[in-house]
Amino acid sequence: MARRFWLFTGLLVAFLQSSISLLFTGCAWRSESLSFSTTRRALDPEGLASFSSFSVLAGSPIPLALGGLLRRAEIVEKNQPTQPTRPGKNQLAFPFFPFPPSPAPDAGSPATPEPRDLMWAFPSFAVFLEKVDETAPAQFPLWARWLCLLTFWPGVIWYLYYKLLVEDDLRVYRGLGIGGSLVIAPFALGLFAGVFGEFAFGSLEGGFFDNGFSTAFYSAFAWIYLNQWFLYQKVNQLMEEAGRPAPLDPFGLFIPGWNFVTGIRQIHFLAEYWAIQRGEELPRDAFAELFPFAKKPTLSLLELSTTPSLWFNWSVIFKSS
């Protein structure tokens, strides 16, 4: 897993490095074929300051806040009276929440992918936890979690790696979809091309098809939205085949706010599906414990809007510790 992630990261870094090097070549095409309204360059002080500020301000606040909330939940749970446990049961990840009964060690199938839950997809959320080494993904170093928290791009790269793996899992084990590389590579290249073009030339300040950078950027998002739609449909199909209700609203992809909720639920229920296939109970996800909407078997926008208890689990934060 680690080798594949760093290979994926290395390819993206190489792409960015080769793109940035164009700023030093003085290529004629830059002045002839690109005529934007700004003369800002990515490596000018203004461009560097903008890029650095964006990377930090976009990357830190949410993981910091959620990390603090998860740490508070860990403290509260640690100070609650110890619940008796059945002898012989394994204690899985997220020990600060109650555990469902675990299966026998031989219940899982080695031919089935590991369930990748919300804490797997967002490892920076665990940085403050006392039991950080026991949280998913296994053996993910603390320094890498902090790197994903402090700046925007490492977390984005890890999340793209998560999506690459889950798309590959669906392709290899269920014959669904086109595989992770074909889903993620066009999006990643278009995303980083657009970001580079913006900070180098202000290329996103015009229309969708004003230049190659802008076209690549917006086409990348159209591509990932299309594949996200198919992913929601695949998760619904698989959960119904497993005897569970379809949990996702694919139209949630197009409604601001609701698309975030639907994406969070997709991660949880795809992990739950693979846990079912392994004959295991999915360990209680620390993130899902704070946000009950993430794990409710079915959910509509109207239900979420009118049920405050689904928004946030205040009891795991404000219990007496």
Side-chain angles (χ1 to χ4, degrees), residues 82-263:
T82 303
Q83 298 293 329
T85 57
R86 294 183 182 181
K89 296 297 179 181
N90 297 326
Q91 296 296 302
L92 301 178
F94 317 123
F96 48 94
F97 291 113
F99 291 94
S102 302
D106 59 349
S109 167
T112 305
E114 74 168 293
R116 297 183 175 92
D117 58 16
L118 288 154
M119 295 293 283
W120 204 105
F122 305 107
S124 60
F125 293 168
V127 292
F128 298 123
L129 297 183
E130 181 179 340
K131 304 287 188 178
V132 61
D133 292 335
E134 299 178 21
T135 61
Q139 299 179 343
F140 195 83
L142 183 59
W143 67 264
R145 295 178 190 268
W146 273 104
L147 188 63
C148 291
L149 183 150
L150 293 175
T151 63
F152 181 70
W153 300 107
V156 169
I157 292 172
W158 177 263
Y159 182 71
L160 292 179
Y161 176 65
Y162 157 81
K163 287 189 64 64
L164 185 148
L165 290 182
V166 298
E167 290 283 0
D168 276 351
D169 290 343
L170 292 170
R171 175 69 176 172
V172 171
Y173 295 99
R174 291 298 178 266
L176 298 174
I178 59 177
S181 297
L182 290 178
V183 171
I184 297 305
F187 173 72
L189 293 176
L191 172 66
F192 286 100
V195 171
F196 167 75
E198 170 61 17
F199 283 98
F201 309 109
S203 59
L204 301 182
E205 296 171 13
F208 290 173
F209 304 108
D210 277 0
N211 54 79
F213 292 116
S214 178
T215 300
F217 183 78
Y218 292 110
S219 297
F221 277 92
W223 175 251
I224 204 68
Y225 263 64
L226 176 65
N227 282 281
Q228 194 72 359
W229 169 275
F230 289 130
L231 178 58
Y232 292 167
Q233 298 281 14
K234 287 180 280 190
V235 173
N236 281 343
Q237 173 188 335
L238 292 172
M239 291 298 287
E240 288 180 326
E241 290 176 358
R244 307 291 179 89
L248 305 179
D249 173 17
F251 289 101
L253 187 64
F254 307 106
I255 303 174
W258 186 231
N259 56 359
F260 168 78
V261 170
T262 308

Side-chain angles (χ1 to χ4, degrees), residues 291-315:
F291 299 95
F293 67 78
K295 60 180 182 176
K296 190 175 184 299
T298 60
L299 184 67
S300 68
L301 177 57
L302 178 61
E303 183 180 14
L304 179 66
S305 302
T306 57
T307 314
S309 62
L310 292 173
W311 303 347
F312 190 82
N313 186 0
W314 297 101
S315 64

